[in-house]
Amino acid sequence: QLLIAQISDTHILPPTSDQPAASLRADCLRRCVADINRQRPDAVIFTGDTVQHGSPDEYALLRELLAPLEGPLYLVPGNRDSKEALQAAFSDHPYLAGCSDFLHYAVEGHSVRLVAIDSTLAGERKGRFCARRQAWLDSVLAAQPDRPTLLFIHHPPFDVGDHYVGGYRRPEEADALANIAGRHPQVIGLLCGHVHWPVEVRWAGTEARIMPSVAVDVRKGIDETEAGGRPIYLLHRLLGETGIVSESRMVDNQTAADGGQ
């Protein structure tokens, strides 16, 4: 059994910003990091839109906020991210060092294989999964057909109600991603960000999940009467070939206090 924490869509603003959301979003991430450390996950995955504008000062603050994490951290970019600035800020993360045009990679050091897929293109808000990315993913999955594998990506390659329709610039590219995953039965799930809504669907013969944004001011689909403005992240228990059990973790007030110290 492998325990994975997922964070997404923190949309961190520059530390000098006078927007009220700047301190709120930083605090949301700080609180989640403190609570994640309490859960002692085997890894933390970050499914994109880490910052708002892709600027170096935003990434410097992001790096500071993530520094207390005690488990290994794996990042994949969102449409708000600058790949170059993200790589520069986390240049000591070896899985990013070998990336060039696309920030995607496979992590081999856990009982379940983790495969990050880059669905971004500079200047493009919607998802992309071009022929080169398709060939890469098919080859990576074909290389280890007997190892349970979890995929993670920023843009969900499927529609979500009326809120998120046609999320890929070319619909056939979203179809190609589903087709590749469907051809490789070792894929036990897909984790996504971008939409800011909590969603679970059947996709390509497996489970796909979208998490709400950690930034509470832009999240959707959450009962705020119950949540009370508390940030949420996800914990996923990976049970090998039997799939994933996911839990929405709402950060409590005690952790909020601890995280602010």
Side-chain angles (χ1 to χ4, degrees):
Q1 179 173 309
L2 190 71
L3 183 63
I4 301 286
Q6 181 187 1
I7 50 180
S8 195
D9 296 271
T10 48
H11 292 272
I12 295 297
L13 288 157
T16 55
S17 173
D18 58 1
Q19 296 183 47
S23 59
L24 172 66
R25 294 177 186 180
D27 189 56
C28 286
L29 179 53
R30 186 180 295 112
R31 293 163 67 181
C32 285
V33 166
D35 196 72
I36 287 170
N37 284 340
R38 292 174 182 270
Q39 312 311 312
R40 303 179 64 85
D42 298 290
V44 181
I45 64 171
F46 201 145
T47 45
D49 278 3
T50 66
V51 301
Q52 184 70 11
H53 304 108
S55 62
D57 55 345
E58 290 173 333
Y59 284 110
L61 176 56
L62 176 72
R63 176 82 193 220
E64 177 185 324
L65 294 167
L66 291 172
L69 273 176
E70 296 169 1
L73 170 68
Y74 304 111
L75 300 115
V76 67
N79 51 282
R80 292 278 184 177
D81 286 299
S82 160
K83 296 180 190 180
E84 294 77 12
L86 179 66
Q87 277 184 296
F90 295 89
S91 60
D92 58 334
H93 287 223
Y95 61 87
L96 290 177
C99 300
S100 54
D101 293 343
F102 310 118
L103 298 190
H104 51 211
Y105 50 87
V107 179
E108 310 289 2
H110 303 286
S111 58
V112 173
R113 201 175 185 215
L114 307 177
V115 175
I117 305 169
D118 182 350
S119 60
T120 67
L121 181 68
E124 172 63 85
R125 183 177 185 276
K126 292 193 172 186
R128 293 299 310 272
F129 187 61
C130 61
R132 286 177 59 201
R133 306 181 216 217
Q134 294 169 31
W136 176 85
L137 180 61
D138 200 30
S139 174
V140 164
L141 293 177
Q144 297 195 42
D146 299 322
R147 283 195 67 196
T149 300
L150 177 70
L151 309 178
F152 60 105
I153 194 169
H154 182 63
H155 295 87
F158 49 85
D159 295 342
V160 180
D162 296 330
H163 176 69
Y164 175 76
V165 178
Y168 277 62
R169 181 60 62 189
R170 300 175 179 174
E172 65 272 18
E173 292 184 352
D175 293 341
L177 179 49
N179 290 337
I180 291 170
R183 289 201 302 271
H184 296 278
Q186 77 269 29
V187 173
I188 62 170
L190 173 73
L191 303 180
C192 314
H194 187 58
V195 181
H196 298 187
W197 283 70
V199 176
E200 295 186 18
V201 299
R202 289 290 298 175
W203 172 82
T206 187
E207 303 288 339
R209 292 169 175 81
I210 309 170
M211 70 166 290
S213 54
V214 165
V216 299
D217 61 304
V218 292
R219 72 183 177 192
K220 303 174 178 68
I222 298 295
D223 182 351
E224 295 298 345
T225 302
E226 177 186 353
R230 290 176 290 172
I232 294 171
Y233 68 93
L234 295 188
L235 282 174
H236 308 285
R237 288 174 173 79
L238 279 58
L239 309 174
E241 297 178 358
T242 61
I244 306 173
V245 175
S246 299
E247 169 193 351
S248 292
R249 178 83 183 169
M250 191 177 296
V251 177
D252 61 28
N253 292 327
Q254 181 61 44
T255 302
D258 292 347
Q261 293 179 350

